[in-house]
Amino acid sequence: MAQAAEALGTLCGVYLAASPWIVGFNGFTTLATVNLICGVALAFLMGGFGSAYERTHAMSWAAFCIGAWTIVAPWAVTGAVDTTRTITSNVIVGGVACLMALVLALRGVVGLRRL
């Protein structure tokens, strides 16, 4: 289950980085930059869990924070970037990223109890 959550979280990061060009809001420079930076960070973070998951599950809070920021970013960044496309894309990918981070965090807690 942890590998599936990690893979889906990594895909969320890749999509988040490319979403301004996929969804078509690359003209909103501030949100496009935020999504690119957060997407790359999320992809690297979630991808890194697979190589040493036993030691890195406690870092899933960082992935949760990136997902939560992704949800609120259309309203928090400067400029009028809160359109239907940006809100829908960011809320869905941010929600999935938060969910995958919680799954990884819970998997780490359950795994620690078994030791």
Side-chain angles (χ1 to χ4, degrees):
M1 176 164 30
Q3 290 174 342
E6 174 215 333
L8 188 56
T10 303
L11 287 175
C12 282
V14 170
Y15 171 77
L16 181 61
S19 66
W21 296 273
I22 293 172
V23 179
F25 58 90
N26 57 334
F28 300 137
T29 309
T30 54
L31 188 61
T33 304
V34 166
N35 280 10
L36 180 63
I37 292 169
C38 288
V40 169
L42 183 64
F44 280 134
L45 185 65
M46 294 296 260
F49 288 148
S51 61
Y53 183 70
E54 295 82 17
R55 297 182 305 269
T56 60
H57 63 83
M59 289 178 31
S60 60
W61 63 269
F64 182 83
C65 290
I66 292 172
W69 169 249
T70 300
I71 293 171
V72 300
W75 297 283
V77 298
T78 59
V81 296
D82 55 344
T83 65
T84 304
R85 291 181 296 174
T86 61
I87 292 171
T88 303
S89 176
N90 277 28
V91 167
I92 290 173
V93 76
V96 172
C98 286
L99 184 63
M100 293 304 105
L102 287 175
V103 166
L104 289 172
L106 290 175
R107 179 70 179 137
V109 170
V110 171
L112 288 176
R113 286 186 195 163
R114 291 183 186 166
L115 295 176

